[in-house]
Amino acid sequence: MQSNSPIPIGHYADIGGSARVPYRVHYHDMGDGEAVVFLHGAGAGASGYSNFKGNYPAFAHAGYRSVVPDLLGFGLSSKPDLPQYDLDLFISGVKGLVDALGLQRVTLLGNSLGGAVALGYSLAYPADVARLILMAPGGVEELDTYLAMPGIANMFEVYRSGLSGAEAMRKVMRMQLFDPALLSDEIIAERAPIAATQTQAARSVLKVPNMTERLSELQCPVFGFWGANDQFNPVGGANKLVERCPNARLVVLNRCGHWVQVEHREMFNRLCLDFLKNG
């Protein structure tokens, strides 16, 4: 990627794909100790750095290795030209990175789509995962329920309108936050140029199964957050996690939308670190 990348360039891991079209995962890596893998959500221009730049350095300074990848199809990672992106593709990218870095017993921390990836990864590779931290994860409702949410309906309406660039980014993301003032010009500048590089599959409906009936299989401790004002993922999902996961606790926050790690950054960092240290 050119030096004028909208986000800082970190590292790349080659994780397979094919000889003709190899897959590369871009990631940031900071700190030492037990690994926490930060998994971002979907949407135009999404990247690990843009989602978690206010969080992962605090984890690194507290004694954890912060690994912040861009999911396949997003950020500076490979963008496969496929008809549709599905959960297995995203899981394979994270698994490839975990194996390439030789990580063991990681904590997966995921927001929205990243939360669905964390759930799916934990169900597929339970021995790899020590703990889960989830923020309004996907994968716990049927597709029609998500598509009916105001934030997602608005996102696809903007996509269909043909708008592009910063104006489109602001229209898509304005419903992400309870307080729109937190949608800074910096976030828009980070995401809009990356959005222009994404495939149609990344801007279309992602194939993510409803994993609600499998939540009881999760044996690792689960800690989570949900904004009571979330317009993308129904807050009722918090009850599903608490009721079905054997070892789970959730914090539901008022005056909070879909981005708790941004909207309540200091509290989020503090409570996550307490969970990591004390369970």
Side-chain angles (χ1 to χ4, degrees):
M1 191 78 179
Q2 303 95 326
S3 59
N4 63 347
S5 168
I7 61 173
I9 297 174
H11 310 276
Y12 286 91
D14 294 313
I15 62 161
S18 68
R20 187 175 65 85
V21 186
Y23 287 172
R24 304 184 79 201
V25 172
H26 173 261
Y27 66 99
H28 291 92
D29 193 346
M30 183 179 187
D32 299 293
E34 294 179 50
V36 180
V37 181
F38 292 72
L39 304 175
H40 65 79
S47 69
Y49 178 81
S50 183
N51 262 45
F52 296 116
K53 64 179 182 289
N55 312 111
Y56 76 85
F59 286 63
H61 294 148
Y64 296 91
R65 182 178 179 182
S66 295
V67 179
V68 191
D70 298 338
L71 298 176
L72 290 175
F74 294 92
L76 305 183
S77 289
S78 294
K79 298 176 176 62
D81 186 13
L82 301 170
Q84 185 176 41
Y85 288 167
D86 61 19
L87 191 65
D88 287 344
L89 173 73
F90 302 128
I91 292 172
S92 71
V94 178
K95 177 62 172 172
L97 179 62
V98 167
D99 289 349
L101 297 181
L103 303 179
Q104 296 181 341
R105 301 292 291 163
V106 301
T107 295
L108 296 180
L109 184 157
N111 175 222
S112 196
L113 171 64
V117 176
L119 287 171
Y121 189 110
S122 300
L123 292 168
Y125 306 105
D128 285 6
V129 181
R131 289 174 294 254
L132 287 176
I133 299 175
L134 306 171
M135 302 96 81
V140 294
E141 305 284 353
E142 296 298 330
L143 176 60
D144 288 348
T145 299
Y146 290 120
L147 293 178
M149 291 296 290
I152 293 180
N154 172 70
M155 178 177 70
F156 283 116
E157 183 179 335
V158 172
Y159 290 165
R160 288 190 296 268
S161 74
L163 281 177
S164 62
E167 181 185 6
M169 189 62 52
R170 196 169 290 280
K171 283 182 176 291
V172 167
M173 296 192 67
R174 64 184 173 82
M175 299 179 75
Q176 192 113 323
L177 304 157
F178 178 79
D179 180 2
L182 293 173
L183 184 57
S184 66
D185 291 340
E186 179 186 19
I187 292 173
I188 300 299
E190 288 168 355
R191 294 180 64 120
I194 290 176
T197 72
Q198 288 178 305
T199 66
Q200 182 59 37
R203 296 165 60 89
S204 302
V205 175
L206 305 175
K207 189 177 179 182
V208 176
N210 184 350
M211 294 173 279
T212 300
E213 296 305 318
R214 298 193 63 193
L215 293 177
S216 60
E217 299 175 33
L218 295 172
Q219 296 304 310
C220 64
V222 177
F223 183 43
F225 300 84
W226 220 297
N229 311 103
D230 194 321
Q231 298 194 71
F232 285 77
N233 288 3
V235 68
N239 288 334
K240 294 183 179 183
L241 292 170
V242 171
E243 291 168 358
R244 294 172 183 266
C245 297
N247 184 359
R249 54 192 165 103
L250 270 287
V251 176
V252 177
L253 301 163
N254 71 333
R255 302 179 64 81
C256 181
H258 193 51
W259 248 12
V260 62
Q261 78 276 16
V262 173
E263 298 177 78
H264 298 277
R265 181 181 65 189
E266 300 303 327
M267 184 192 68
F268 173 82
N269 292 346
R270 183 176 68 251
L271 293 181
C272 287
L273 290 171
D274 179 70
F275 171 68
L276 291 173
K277 293 174 182 176
N278 302 308

